[in-house]
Structures are given as structure tokens and as C-alpha cells.
Amino acid sequence: MSVGKQEALQQSLVALRTAIPEVRGVLIASTDGLPMAQNLSGSEDPNRVAAMAATALGLGKRIADTLNAGTLAETSVSGSNGQIFLYAAGGKGVLVVVAPANANVGLIHLEARDAARGIAAIL
Amino acid sequence: MLNQDRKSWEVTDESVASELIGLMGINDQEAKSLGALSDQAKQAAAAMVNDFYSRLNAHENTAEYLQGASSERLRGMVTAWWNDIFSGKYDSSYAKKRIEIGHVHVRIGLPVRYPLAMLDIILQHGDVVAANGGDLAKSAFKKIIALDVAIFNQAYENHQLKHLSELIGSERLARRLLSGAEGL
């Protein structure tokens, strides 16, 4: 990946975190599970998060296909301590947004869906 | 981290035979030395198959896979496998038959340790036949058994890799998951 693309991806993540301060972390992975850019708050391993995100998105696509739900746009995981949103960024990437359990989901979707479209254009 | 494709990943299905034959250096003379023992191998097949199924039936965990199956058909398949070892022809067609056997084993949920362990019977009987062809045949026989072990294992790996790749949409990601990379 070129330096220009890398910087553009990193900037999109900074912009996303600025727009939603309560978000704990964001990451962009390739669909084959490699991290391309990340801004995570904790001690999470970006390689591990990227591989898991790509796996979840890939499986989600398969479920959507099987159940005739069309092209997968996003999927999420909700736990007692947090929520993880995964957005398809075109056919090459996945945007991961990690948020606290009580986060404003509407705002997250509004900003992250727009960011995912921008990331898809970069990729 | 498996973040880079390998040339070996491009070798799939029956093309693994030509790659491995090149790797192991199985030459025409060695192949002919085994082919020359074809008739002797056919004569030894019945005894080998008897030992093969005696052992499988004597072990509860393997006997389970034989219940309800046609004994005649199974014996025929093992006989064909045995005869192929002494056919003298080790090409893509040979590999394809082994891969198909491997895929059948995967589909019925047979752990790979059983077909590999059963090669012990093939080795016992095969060594006797190969000895009639001298050192060249004995050496060639060992190579062909090693080829079978490799193809069987590859068939299992390919089946699992293909299934996981289809499920998650990426072969490279599937390889990383199967490798346990990043503790996944």
C-alpha cells in the first residue's frame, strides 16, 4: 500500500475519533485480515483485531448470501461492557469501531458509515 | 505472520503429484521397477486386504466407520489403491485418485491418523513384494509410500482450507486462521 493511501486511511480514522470522542478505538483491516491503519486505545493487538474483523465480516457476507439479504453493509457484536461495529469498506476493507456499551449508536452509524464509504474510495 | 503468498500455495489438486515427484526425485527407472512387480502385487493383494480389514475391525474406533458399508466395495477400493502403488505410473491421475480418497475420508469424518497408521499394513506387504525387485524397487516403494502420505495429508488440508475460505471469503485469511497466527 502506498504511503499516500496509508496516510489517507490514518486521517480518516483520526477524523472519525474526533467526531465521536466516546469511541474506544478504530481500525481498518483488509478483507484478508491484515491491519492497514489503526487508532486503538487499549492494549489490543491490531493483528488479532484485524483478522477477527475480517473473519466476522466474511462470515457475515456468507450469511447474507445464504439468507438472500443482499450485499453486506455492516455487522456488530454487543457485550455487557462494549459494542463493536464492523462496516464493509467496499470489497477490500473493513472498518472496525469499538465503543462503550452505552454509546450513541445512531451517531456512530452516521459517522462510521460515511467514513466506510470514504475508506472504500481510498482503497 | 502469514502476510505474503507463497509459491507452494499455487500448487493444488492433482498437480501436487508432479511437484512432489520432482521434489523426491522419482525417476522413470524407479517407476518401471515397481511397474515390473505389478503381477506379483496383484497376487499379494488378497492377503494384504485381509490384514488391512482385520486390523480395522479389531479396533473399536475404526470398526465404527465400517458399519453398514459394503465390505466388497471397500475391499475393492483398497485393492485398487494397492495395485496402483505397483502400477509404475505416478502422474496426475495417480494423485487425483489419492486426493479423492482423502476427500471421502474427510467427508465421513475419518481422522487422518487412521489412513496414515494403516500404511503400516501396506508397508509390511509392500516390502515383501518390493524386495523381489532389488534395491531400486525397495527404494522406489518407500518413495511412493511417502508420496501417498503427502497427498493424503494435502487432501485433508485442502478440503479444510477450501471450506474455511468459502466461509470467510479469503484463502489468505483462512490460512492465517488455520496456522493459529496472532493467537486466533
Side-chain angles (χ1 to χ4, degrees):
Chain A
M1 189 167 52
S2 68
V3 175
K5 275 190 180 181
Q6 177 76 41
E7 287 178 356
L9 292 176
Q10 199 63 45
Q11 284 171 6
S12 69
L13 293 185
V14 170
L16 187 57
R17 288 209 68 167
T18 303
I20 327 168
E22 63 184 338
V23 159
R24 288 186 195 161
V26 288
L27 177 144
I28 299 166
S30 62
T31 49
D32 55 7
L34 296 172
M36 295 193 284
Q38 56 100 4
N39 191 327
L40 298 170
S41 307
S43 58
E44 302 93 344
D45 178 358
N47 291 315
R48 195 173 189 188
V49 174
M52 286 182 170
T55 301
L57 196 81
L59 186 57
K61 284 179 180 173
R62 188 65 191 268
I63 293 170
D65 282 346
T66 303
L67 299 177
N68 296 315
T71 304
L72 181 77
E74 60 204 43
T75 185
S76 64
V77 177
S78 296
S80 56
N81 294 327
Q83 306 173 84
I84 301 98
F85 301 95
L86 308 167
Y87 302 88
K92 295 180 181 175
V94 49
L95 168 65
V96 182
V97 177
V98 185
N102 59 352
N104 183 337
V105 177
L107 179 62
I108 290 173
H109 281 328
L110 186 71
E111 296 291 343
R113 286 168 183 164
D114 189 46
R117 282 190 289 272
I119 291 163
I122 295 167
L123 295 175
Chain B
M1 189 168 67
L2 299 179
N3 57 0
Q4 153 187 355
D5 289 351
R6 299 291 183 184
K7 287 181 182 175
S8 62
W9 297 356
E10 296 169 12
V11 181
T12 58
D13 301 323
E14 51 266 34
S15 62
V16 297
S18 57
E19 188 213 22
L20 292 175
I21 286 168
L23 173 73
M24 297 164 69
I26 300 171
N27 59 41
D28 288 346
Q29 286 72 32
E30 287 175 315
K32 284 177 182 171
S33 73
L34 287 182
L37 298 170
S38 175
D39 287 342
Q40 293 180 48
K42 285 176 183 170
Q43 289 170 16
M48 183 280 297
V49 173
N50 285 340
D51 283 354
F52 193 93
Y53 280 102
S54 292
R55 182 177 288 185
L56 285 178
N57 279 308
H59 185 63
E60 183 182 355
N61 289 354
T62 49
E64 189 179 29
Y65 289 91
L66 305 177
Q67 291 170 7
S70 161
S71 170
E72 189 180 349
R73 191 176 68 85
L74 293 176
R75 290 175 69 91
M77 289 170 68
V78 173
T79 301
W81 172 31
W82 164 265
N83 289 341
D84 278 350
I85 292 171
F86 291 94
S87 66
K89 293 178 184 173
Y90 312 105
D91 52 13
S92 60
S93 172
Y94 182 89
K96 191 174 182 181
K97 289 179 192 172
R98 267 62 185 154
I99 290 168
E100 284 171 358
I101 293 170
H103 287 173
V104 169
H105 289 166
V106 174
R107 279 199 293 273
I108 65 172
L110 181 70
V112 71
R113 65 179 180 273
Y114 295 131
L116 295 185
M118 290 308 292
L119 285 171
D120 171 51
I121 297 290
I122 302 289
L123 285 167
Q124 285 176 28
H125 288 262
D127 279 342
V128 174
V129 175
N132 296 326
D135 288 344
L136 189 63
K138 287 195 284 186
S139 166
F141 175 66
K142 287 177 183 170
K143 287 186 178 180
I144 296 305
I145 294 300
L147 179 66
D148 273 25
V149 169
I151 295 174
F152 273 145
N153 274 298
Q154 194 61 54
Y156 270 75
E157 182 185 311
N158 287 356
H159 193 281
Q160 290 163 345
L161 182 64
K162 181 171 180 255
H163 179 67
L164 187 58
S165 298
E166 286 174 359
L167 195 64
I168 62 176
S170 166
E171 182 181 320
R172 187 191 288 179
L173 177 58
R175 286 185 182 276
R176 292 179 62 224
L177 292 175
L178 289 173
S179 77
E182 276 82 64
L184 296 172

